Amino acid sequence: MGLSTYLTPSGFLLPSIHSAPPFFVQQPNPATQAVVTEQWTRLVLSYARHRRLFFLRLDDAAAPTGEWAEVLHNERINRAPLPPHLALVLAHMVAKGLAAYEPPRQSRTVLLHWRLPEEWAEVLHDWAVGTGQLNTILTFFEIAEPEVESPLVGIPAPLLRAAIAVLARTGRAQAISIPDGEGVRFFSGRATK
């Protein structure tokens, strides 16, 4: 079987490197492994964005089914990365700020930053302005589970906190403790450089 792209059932186009058996194995040459790690990083982030997935677990590498199966497994060549290889990729992503261990102080699950917290901050502020939510206190639930479809649907609380922190530093939001948990108030201020 030659290297070729492949369209998954979810409509994601896997790159041709996904057809190469060495892609799924940790490489002994550090330079080669660095290239493979970068390829996996791009693949994981683009797939997560495509499917709106926020978390990746080491256990997903061993699961033949599930939301990550079509990217972590290649049934056409009978390959999947072993958990130590995936752990190496996840550690690289965390080191580059493209993911964060969640919960902290463990290394089996990451929160993926297919949009960086700074990018989520802009999406969040644009949503608040566009929906007329300025100077209104909103709960995290109201943001992540809005009545009307939004790009923020399903955003995990740690990522939402990070985005709000970015907005708070620029005077466009204020984190607020409320009886039901956490909330935020948005302001119209523009980002300062």
Side-chain angles (χ1 to χ4, degrees), residues 54-55 102 111-118 120-121 124 140 155-165:
F54 289 99
F55 294 96
E102 186 59 41
L111 173 60
L112 298 166
H113 295 168
W114 43 269
R115 275 191 180 138
L116 296 174
E118 295 79 11
W120 279 114
L124 179 59
F140 280 21
I155 187 171
L159 195 49
L160 189 52
R161 266 187 226 103
I164 291 167

Side-chain angles (χ1 to χ4, degrees), residues 72-96:
L72 292 179
H73 299 266
N74 186 331
E75 294 176 2
R76 295 170 292 130
I77 60 171
N78 196 27
R79 293 285 192 271
L82 294 174
H85 186 208
L86 185 57
L88 181 75
V89 172
L90 298 183
H92 170 79
M93 293 174 72
V94 169
K96 294 286 188 182

Side-chain angles (χ1 to χ4, degrees), residues 58-70:
L58 284 182
D59 296 343
D60 292 326
T65 61
E67 58 194 11
W68 285 97
E70 64 184 17

